[in-house]
Amino acid sequence: MKVFSKKYDFSSFASALITIIRRFPIALLFVVALAVALIAMVWKDDYNGVLLYYLSAGVLMSLMFHLWREDEQRSRLLDIAFALAHVLLIVDALWLNSLSYSDYSPSIFSARVAVFISFSLGIFTIPFMKKRSDLESLVFTNRVIVTSLGSIALCSLLTISVLMLYQGALALFGVKLDGITSDNIMITMLIVFMVLLCPLMICSRIPSGVEKLEGQFHASKFYRGTIRFMIFPVVMLYVAVLYVYLTLIVIH
């Protein structure tokens, strides 16, 4: 993985991001909406579980239809099916929102969990329904799961690094914030990296075309750009803050 290749610059990183957006536009729109909704709920301290359910289910449903549409010639029929599925999801969310807290039952929660499981399984199976062999589906599933775990691990590392950098900067400059504000800032960082950036990285590594048959794992341009332009700078900044902090301790 040539992260430091001279041929790879920020324009390549930006073009890779544009490619992801063009491939999964609706799914990424749901991802952005989910991240914004979570951040707003954190700062307002007012949470809406139904809205989170709708946006989360919308991400999986849209991703499933995007992948299905890539290998399906009758795209207009799929667009109609996607629109109908979206309408049903909205109706379901509105119905849930009309219920009082006492009306919720284990069966309602089980049904919504089944929705997530169905969409998740659909991502790995529905795009390959017309294939004669299950090999493509198995290879695709294995590759997506492994690369997704790698993306989650990388975003977790980035999140921890940023949070440590934030705490180190506060200690270095003597900035004092009240507990609620500081906690909200850290939770916002967590949402940005794990809810917004992580799905982008996962989508960037979903194979397309003949790559779905390949068992080899390749680092996408967006993945390499994240390492080069985000993780390494954050780590270097954290090390710099540590050195300055230790220097001040020695001086005083």
Side-chain angles (χ1 to χ4, degrees), residues 11-22:
S11 61
S12 300
F13 177 61
S15 64
L17 176 59
I18 293 174
T19 301
I20 302 170
I21 295 175
R22 288 177 176 174

Side-chain angles (χ1 to χ4, degrees), residues 102-115:
S102 59
D103 292 330
Y104 282 90
S105 63
S107 60
I108 293 179
F109 287 104
S110 300
R112 271 67 212 170
V113 171
V115 170

Side-chain angles (χ1 to χ4, degrees), residues 191-211:
I191 294 171
V192 169
F193 292 115
M194 297 305 298
V195 179
L196 185 59
L197 179 62
C198 190
L200 279 171
M201 294 184 64
I202 292 174
C203 289
S204 73
R205 305 194 70 185
I206 295 178
S208 61
V210 295
E211 292 182 356

Side-chain angles (χ1 to χ4, degrees), residues 15-36:
S15 64
L17 176 59
I18 293 174
T19 301
I20 302 170
I21 295 175
R22 288 177 176 174
R23 187 183 178 194
F24 306 112
I26 307 300
L28 295 182
L29 184 63
F30 272 107
V31 169
V32 173
L34 177 61
V36 172

